[in-house]
Each structure stands twice: as structure tokens, then as C-alpha cells.
Amino acid sequence: MKKILTCCLMIFVVMHSFAQPKLSVKSFTKLSNDLDARVNEPIKDQNGDKCAIIKVVTTQTGFSFDCGQIGIIKTVQKPSEIWVYVPYGAKRLTISHPVLGILRDYSLPLTVEKATAYELVLISGNVVTSVDETIVSQWLVITPIPSDAMVYINEKFVKNGVYQAKLKPGAYTYRVEAAKYHTEAGKIEITYIKKELTVQLKPAFGFANITSEPGNGAKIIVDGETLSQNTPFQNVQISSGIHTIQVIKENYQPSSQKVTIVDGTTSDIKFLLSPNFSEVNITTLPNAEIFIDNELKAKGAWQGRLGSGVYSLEARLDKYKSAKKDIEVESGEKQDIELTPTPIFGSLDVVSNPSGATIGIDGQIYGTTPNTIKDLSVGEHNIKLIKQGYSSVEKKVVIIEGKTVEFNDTLINIKPSTAKMSKSAPEIKPVQNFNSDYLKYKKSKNFWLVSTIVSGGAGVFAYLQAKDSYTQYQSATTDAESLYSQVQMYNTISPAALAIAGFCAVEFVIKSTKFSKAKSQSLGLYPLPVNQGAGLNLVYKF
């Protein structure tokens, strides 16, 4: 009987030893800086809330998990660990394995929160489920975002960018920081399992779209620092907080705003600029030159913008008194100004001997001598006296402002020719004229005349187009560059075409002179009457 009792006791002890669970939990910790459950790989539960992730550290596979009525949402096998997605508020976890046994209703020591990661390290009395605990160091990998962020371990700077190194088991502090980002810091426990941590910094900056009206091209200044680009400037990165933004544009009042930039948001900032100029339109005589503060602006008319202030205007024209005017310009107003130079006059007394000669001044008839011609413009004039039976007189006279200039000349009598032709004598026409140069110079003269007209017309057209484009360019906003290119092009064409026209005109004068000379020269055969017969007379005219 005693032997039977001893045998039963041994069987009980053996069965009891096999019935002991082989699984146990070494540690259960909250991974405060792990963003997998919140950002990287989140999963929602039946209520639409983001689950918590319990990262079970083990090198074994084949585990199953249960957390009671609330249920496991999902399990994902990862290298060296299993991710168990559970609803927030889970309190217990049962872990089963066909070889290692079962850990039933393990009471979670921490409150399970939404979208939070936890680490559960499993060990076994007979089987090491993760890594041999005799290992004295393990890898730590910290991946920062942005990629050039500075990584600190135990308050010591270790790396810009991804940090990876072997560390002894224990608790460490880390800190990741970068310019214009909020610093992230925390603690991490190094065990016998490799630790990988992604730290995504939250931006400490926002963005701004800065525009100005009217028009673009305003300089942007943020807290006293000028930006590289003018308005419009899209997606300008500015650190979070309150900033003073100012825009400055020529001929407009500077404008500034206090702007609050919020992390990761984009602000639309619009500046309405007040004009600091006046629209001025100046008209004068067609050929008069317009000067503003002694600077030549245009001929005939000028339209443009002038900033606030006082300006001296003047219209100048040869043989005219300049028209001058000072104006005061106020912002936002429009002014139309007319400047009219007045002509400068003198007088001319014209006397001839004998009197009664017709007076011509610059091709215009002014009666007969003696005569006083008033209101002649100052400067040089061409005077011509003509009287039948007398040789004409042609001279130049200079008229002086406010004075009377005298012109007195004697006309020379032209004696009648002694060889008078009988009025009844018939006109003798040549039988044949020989003049080859006449036709040659006539064609050449006409060619150079046409060339002069065409090239001169092109030069004048280019000059007028340049003037018109320059007028538009002065008030242009969006197409100023295109108009400026047109002005340069026409300013290049105009002098070239006019130079060609001048050359052609010189050739025309030369060929016209030769044409006139050739026209006066001829070799002709004229009929010659003789007694009881007829003949031919060879005559050369020059």
C-alpha cells in the first residue's frame, strides 16, 4: 500500500511540473513616441476609433491572442515581433502557443489608450522567445523627419539624419530637433531586441501667399528681411508666430500688416496699394520738345505718371519763346496741361531801285517794293526781287527779335538782243536728235528718287512706331517688357532706314544734275535750205 501511495505522489508531481505555464511577460511599457498606431499604420475598431498596438516581442511564430469580449481587431507578423491591434480600454490579454503553452488572462498593467503603441516582451522558462539575455548590446535606429534633423542621445549630439548604433541595455533619453520644427524628445529602453524609432517633427512654420494690387512686382520684407522674390510670391515658408510683412513698390505708398502664421497652414495675404503718383497729360505744338525738370521727355505730347511733388514743365521750339509752367502733383489726381510756345517776330523793310519789284520771301509773295513786312519770325530768310526787264536779285537776310531790318538793292537792266528773229520765221525742228546720256540718267534719276521715298517712308514709320510704343511703355503694367523690346527694335530700324534714304537722296541729286546737263546737250540734224536745193545742218547744243 505504501508503494502504491509513493507511485501516485510521483505521478502527481510530474504532471504538476508539466502543467506549469512556460510563458511569462518580462515587461509591458508604453511607447510614447511611437507613431505607428496614430500615423504610420493605424487601424480603426468597430466604433471608428483608432486601435492601440501591443507589439509582442518574440522570435517565435504561431501565437494566437484573445482579449475577451471586446476582441482582437487584427494581428500582423513583423520581424522579431507581432503587432496585436486591440480597442482602447482593453484590460486583459490571453496568449497561446502550441509548444510554449498558454498565458491566460494576463492583466495589462497600464491603461490602453487610443492610437497608442505598447511593447510586451515575452520570455519562457525553457525557450528564449526573443534574444539571448546574455547579449550585452543591441541596435538602436532613429530615423528623423526631416531627414537632416539633429539627433541627441542622453543630451549629446550624435548625428545629422538617420542614427544607428549599438548600445548597452538600459534607459536612454533622446532628442530630435531641426530649424523651423518643434523639438521631439523622450525615453527609450534598450533590451535584447533591436529598437527602431521614427521621429517625425511637427513643423514650426506655415506658408503664405503674398499678393499686391494694383499690379505685381512689389518688394516683400518680412521682419526687416527682404525676400528673394517680388509679389506675387506663392507658398512662402515663414516660421510660426506673429510677423510684420511689408511691401514696397515704386510710385505707391508702402503697406504693412501684422500676420500670425500657424503651424502647417497657408495664409493668403493681400496688400491693396495706394498710388503715390498723378496721371499727367501734356500737349504742345507738334514739333515742340517737352521737358520735365530740364529732362527731355517727348515731342508734341507726353503722358505718364509723376510722383507727388512740384515739377517744372517747359515746351521748347526753335524761333519760339519757351512755354514754362510749375505744377504741384497730388497722389491719385489727374492733370491735363497745355504748353504753347509763342513765336518770336521782327520786321523787314524792302526797297529796290527801280521800285515796283515783286517781293518773294521764302517762296511767298509779299507785294512790291518799297514795303514793310511785319511779324516775320526771327532767323534767316531767303529774299528775292523780280521785275520784268531786269535781272532778279536773291539774297539771305537775318531777322532779329523786335527790330526792323532793311533790305535795299539795285536791279540791273537787261539789254535787248541785237540778233532778233523774224516773228514770221517758221520754227525749224531737227530731223534727228542724238542724246544717249539723256535716257540713261533719266532712268537712274527715277530709280534713286523711288529708293529715297521708300527708305525715307520706312524710317519715318519706324520712328512713329517707336514713339507710340514708348508712350504705351511708360504707362504699361503687364506688357512693359514687350513694349520696351518694340521700342528698341524701331529705334534700330529708323536711323538705318533714314541713313539709306539720305544716301539715295544724294545719288538722286547727282543723277538729276547729270540728267539736266545731258538734257541741255544734243547732237541734231536740221534741214538747211539752199538755192535751188536743200541740205542738212549738223548742230551740237550744250
Side-chain angles (χ1 to χ4, degrees):
M1 184 69 181
K2 186 176 179 181
K3 291 182 178 180
I4 295 173
L5 181 62
T6 303
C7 183
C8 291
L9 181 60
M10 291 177 63
I11 293 171
F12 174 79
V13 171
V14 171
M15 292 178 62
H16 179 71
S17 64
F18 278 103
Q20 288 181 347
K22 297 179 181 180
L23 291 175
S24 63
V25 176
K26 180 179 180 181
S27 63
F28 185 86
T29 56
K30 179 180 178 181
L31 304 178
S32 302
N33 296 295
D34 192 316
L35 300 178
D36 289 334
R38 183 179 300 276
V39 177
N40 299 326
E41 299 184 42
I43 293 179
K44 294 183 179 180
D45 61 17
Q46 299 90 333
N47 298 321
D49 296 317
K50 289 184 179 179
C51 296
I53 300 178
I54 299 177
K55 297 184 176 182
V56 180
V57 180
T58 177
T59 58
Q60 301 296 315
T61 60
F63 286 94
S64 61
F65 303 89
D66 185 25
C67 60
Q69 292 182 347
I70 58 176
I72 299 296
I73 303 302
K74 187 179 181 180
T75 59
V76 179
Q77 182 69 51
K78 296 282 187 177
S80 300
E81 61 185 14
I82 303 170
W83 290 11
V84 182
Y85 286 85
V86 298
Y88 77 94
K91 298 184 180 298
R92 295 180 178 277
L93 183 66
T94 296
I95 306 173
S96 301
H97 191 274
V99 176
L100 301 176
I102 184 170
L103 177 62
R104 193 182 305 278
D105 290 335
Y106 169 69
S107 181
L108 301 177
L110 300 176
T111 302
V112 176
E113 302 173 2
K114 294 179 184 179
T116 305
Y118 300 86
E119 181 184 74
L120 187 151
V121 180
L122 277 177
I123 60 173
S124 170
N126 298 321
V127 180
V128 177
T129 65
S130 55
V131 184
D132 192 341
E133 294 186 23
T134 61
I135 295 177
V136 296
S137 64
Q138 188 51 267
W139 284 99
L140 170 63
V141 179
I142 299 178
T143 304
I145 302 174
S147 60
D148 60 346
M150 302 174 66
V151 179
Y152 293 80
I153 300 295
N154 288 343
E155 298 301 322
K156 181 180 179 181
F157 171 72
V158 291
K159 186 69 181 299
N160 272 102
V162 177
Y163 168 72
Q164 52 187 16
K166 279 187 174 182
L167 300 177
K168 292 181 179 180
Y172 293 83
T173 62
Y174 68 88
R175 186 174 83 251
V176 180
E177 59 183 37
K180 294 187 178 180
Y181 286 84
H182 292 291
T183 299
E184 291 283 344
K187 293 182 179 180
I188 192 168
E189 184 78 19
I190 299 300
T191 61
Y192 43 83
I193 299 297
K194 180 174 71 172
K195 296 288 185 181
E196 294 186 75
L197 181 62
T198 299
V199 181
Q200 184 167 2
L201 302 182
K202 295 180 180 178
F205 60 84
F207 299 91
N209 297 327
I210 305 175
T211 58
S212 61
E213 288 188 5
N216 297 316
K219 183 188 298 182
I220 304 171
I221 302 174
V222 179
D223 297 332
E225 181 180 351
T226 302
L227 302 187
S228 60
Q229 184 175 322
N230 297 338
T231 58
F233 199 169
Q234 303 294 316
N235 294 322
V236 187
Q237 189 183 97
I238 303 175
S239 60
S240 301
I242 300 175
H243 299 273
T244 299
I245 300 180
Q246 184 182 38
V247 295
I248 299 175
K249 185 177 182 180
E250 186 178 3
N251 292 329
Y252 289 86
Q253 290 285 352
S255 181
S256 64
Q257 296 183 30
K258 288 282 187 182
V259 178
T260 300
I261 302 298
V262 180
D263 292 350
T265 63
T266 300
S267 301
D268 292 323
I269 305 170
K270 185 176 182 179
F271 289 87
L272 298 177
L273 303 179
S274 300
N276 194 28
F277 59 83
S278 171
E279 295 283 353
V280 178
N281 182 35
I282 303 174
T283 56
T284 184
L285 299 179
N287 293 323
E289 296 178 330
I290 298 173
F291 289 81
I292 299 178
D293 288 341
N294 210 33
E295 179 183 352
L296 177 62
K297 293 294 184 180
K299 278 188 177 183
W302 180 84
Q303 185 176 10
R305 295 173 176 178
L306 294 178
S308 299
V310 177
Y311 295 87
S312 294
L313 311 182
E314 184 178 2
R316 302 175 187 173
L317 183 61
D318 186 34
K319 300 179 182 180
Y320 284 73
K321 287 184 178 179
S322 296
K324 299 180 180 180
K325 187 175 184 179
D326 287 344
I327 63 169
E328 183 175 4
V329 172
E330 297 291 342
S331 300
E333 67 179 10
K334 184 176 182 180
Q335 296 193 44
D336 293 317
I337 300 167
E338 184 176 357
L339 298 175
T340 306
T342 55
I344 303 173
F345 293 127
S347 298
L348 176 65
D349 283 346
V350 183
V351 180
S352 68
N353 183 22
S355 63
T358 301
I359 304 170
I361 302 177
D362 299 329
Q364 185 175 351
I365 302 301
Y366 285 85
T368 58
T369 58
N371 196 4
T372 299
I373 296 91
K374 298 181 178 179
D375 296 335
L376 274 179
S377 60
V378 297
E380 189 175 78
H381 294 271
N382 189 50
I383 311 299
K384 189 173 184 179
L385 301 180
I386 302 173
K387 186 175 177 68
Q388 188 173 7
Y390 293 84
S391 61
S392 62
V393 174
E394 188 171 359
K395 292 184 179 179
K396 294 186 180 298
V397 173
V398 176
I399 302 300
I400 301 173
E401 179 184 2
K403 295 185 178 180
T404 299
V405 177
E406 182 176 319
F407 179 84
N408 192 344
D409 211 326
T410 300
L411 305 180
I412 299 175
N413 185 24
I414 301 175
K415 296 180 180 180
S417 175
T418 55
K420 292 185 180 180
M421 243 182 156
S422 172
K423 291 183 180 180
S424 60
E427 181 181 359
I428 302 175
K429 296 183 178 180
V431 174
Q432 181 65 45
N433 266 333
F434 300 96
N435 193 347
S436 60
D437 288 341
Y438 172 81
L439 295 176
K440 179 180 72 174
Y441 288 125
K442 180 179 181 181
K443 291 181 180 179
S444 179
K445 173 178 71 74
N446 291 341
F447 169 81
W448 288 111
L449 176 60
V450 172
S451 300
T452 301
I453 294 172
V454 172
S455 55
V460 172
F461 174 80
Y463 169 78
L464 295 176
Q465 288 295 107
K467 180 179 178 182
D468 180 65
S469 298
Y470 181 75
T471 302
Q472 296 180 44
Y473 164 74
Q474 290 179 314
S475 59
T477 56
T478 58
D479 56 345
E481 184 176 354
S482 173
L483 290 170
Y484 183 74
S485 299
Q486 292 182 20
V487 172
Q488 289 184 315
M489 178 185 70
Y490 287 126
N491 280 340
T492 302
I493 295 173
S494 177
L498 292 175
I500 294 172
F503 173 79
C504 294
V506 171
E507 288 294 324
F508 169 74
V509 172
I510 294 173
K511 296 301 186 289
S512 295
T513 303
K514 292 182 178 181
F515 169 78
S516 299
K517 184 175 180 182
K519 187 177 181 181
S520 64
Q521 298 175 353
S522 63
L523 181 64
L525 291 175
Y526 287 79
L528 179 65
V530 295
N531 292 332
Q532 298 180 352
L536 291 175
N537 186 23
L538 181 66
V539 179
Y540 177 72
K541 295 183 179 180
F542 61 93

